[in-house]
Amino acid sequence: AQSVTQPDIHITVSEGASLELRCNYSYGATPYLFWYVQSPGQGLQLLLKYFSGDTLVQGIKGFEAEFKRSQSSFNLRKPSVHWSDAAEYFCAPVTQGGSEKLVFGKGTKLTVNP
Amino acid sequence: NAGVTQTPKFQVLKTGQSMTLQCAQDMNHEYMSWYRQDPGMGLRLIHYSVGAGITDQGEVPNGYNVSRSTTEDFPLRLLSAAPSQTSVYFCATHGRTYEQYFGPGTRLTVT
């Protein structure tokens, strides 16, 4: 069965520190891959996406993510976290040309300390 | 363009009452979905639609009905509200690139 895992429920970092949020998936074929961000009290906004090609993709707000086929992972990174990055982050794989059931990981809540 | 709109923003129901959460999009997307978000559970798919007249169940469909008579609208009906349906509900739409666009959400409390 298809599944997505975000192993870290809650991460706390200091402002200016680097960040990596993990996402692992289990799909029969390489899916399209998305990261979304949800600021407190808001809806979800797309951060970045991977369809094919270069495995390192750039997104908004200085985020990037790297697709690693061998590890079935699509981890989100940022070199220097800002206080405004405090939010919840969701990974969402999508089967290429398959079911339209779009599911999300359970999310990672990021707290940023001053 | 408004994108995806949801009404109401907040709602309080008593157990057993029914109501409809409205969702509309002006992006001309075929695909629309309803999710509920609960602490620690992420977003769980309730129902989805791949076009007018076509709907299907997601992960947690029990207690909810949907219909899709037009491309623009995808209402979610709670037939007999229960406290377990207290949640934040998000409507989303996407086109063929699968990038999802979300509404602002409806916060529902069932007492």
Side-chain angles (χ1 to χ4, degrees):
Chain A
Q2 298 174 343
S3 67
V4 54
T5 303
Q6 292 182 244
D8 305 303
I9 297 172
H10 192 185
I11 284 182
T12 300
V13 300
S14 298
E15 191 167 16
S18 63
L19 173 70
E20 182 169 31
L21 304 182
R22 295 181 289 165
C23 173
N24 294 96
Y25 61 88
S26 175
Y27 280 59
T30 300
Y32 298 140
L33 294 156
F34 298 83
W35 274 100
Y36 292 85
V37 59
Q38 184 181 31
S39 298
Q42 304 294 314
L44 279 77
Q45 178 186 17
L46 179 72
L47 265 183
L48 46 76
K49 58 192 174 188
Y50 172 79
F51 290 158
S52 65
D54 192 347
T55 56
L56 186 65
V57 294
Q58 303 296 322
I60 63 171
K61 306 185 182 187
F63 284 88
E64 65 179 26
E66 184 172 16
F67 167 61
K68 292 187 177 179
R69 185 189 306 274
S70 62
Q71 298 177 19
S72 295
S73 69
F74 189 54
N75 294 349
L76 181 70
R77 302 196 295 244
K78 187 168 185 179
S80 178
V81 170
H82 188 262
W83 63 266
S84 61
D85 294 324
E88 193 156 15
Y89 294 81
F90 294 92
C91 179
V94 176
T95 304
Q96 299 178 34
S99 167
E100 294 301 332
K101 281 187 179 182
L102 303 190
V103 295
F104 289 77
K106 292 195 187 304
T108 298
K109 184 175 181 180
L110 174 66
T111 298
V112 181
N113 287 335
Chain B
N1 287 352
V4 182
T5 58
Q6 289 183 239
T7 55
K9 285 188 167 33
F10 301 93
Q11 183 71 50
V12 179
L13 291 179
K14 290 186 176 5
T15 298
Q17 288 184 316
S18 63
M19 79 158 295
T20 299
L21 279 62
Q22 301 291 344
C23 175
Q25 55 108 352
D26 62 3
M27 307 178 78
N28 202 31
H29 285 165
E30 295 176 25
Y31 309 111
M32 297 186 76
S33 305
W34 275 103
Y35 296 87
R36 59 177 290 174
Q37 184 176 28
D38 304 289
M41 302 295 290
L43 288 107
R44 291 183 290 170
L45 182 64
I46 305 171
H47 286 284
Y48 64 101
S49 169
V50 300
I54 307 171
T55 64
D56 205 346
Q57 296 181 351
E59 304 168 86
V60 289
N62 292 343
Y64 307 95
N65 272 2
V66 292
S67 59
R68 183 99 179 268
S69 56
T70 67
T71 300
E72 293 79 20
D73 300 299
F74 190 41
L76 178 72
R77 296 183 189 85
L78 280 70
L79 307 175
S80 177
S84 61
Q85 293 178 305
T86 293
S87 187
V88 180
Y89 292 84
F90 288 99
C91 177
T93 182
H94 73 278
R96 294 183 183 276
T97 61
Y98 296 97
E99 177 179 339
Q100 294 243 53
Y101 295 86
F102 287 84
T106 295
R107 186 173 295 274
L108 175 68
T109 302
V110 182
T111 61

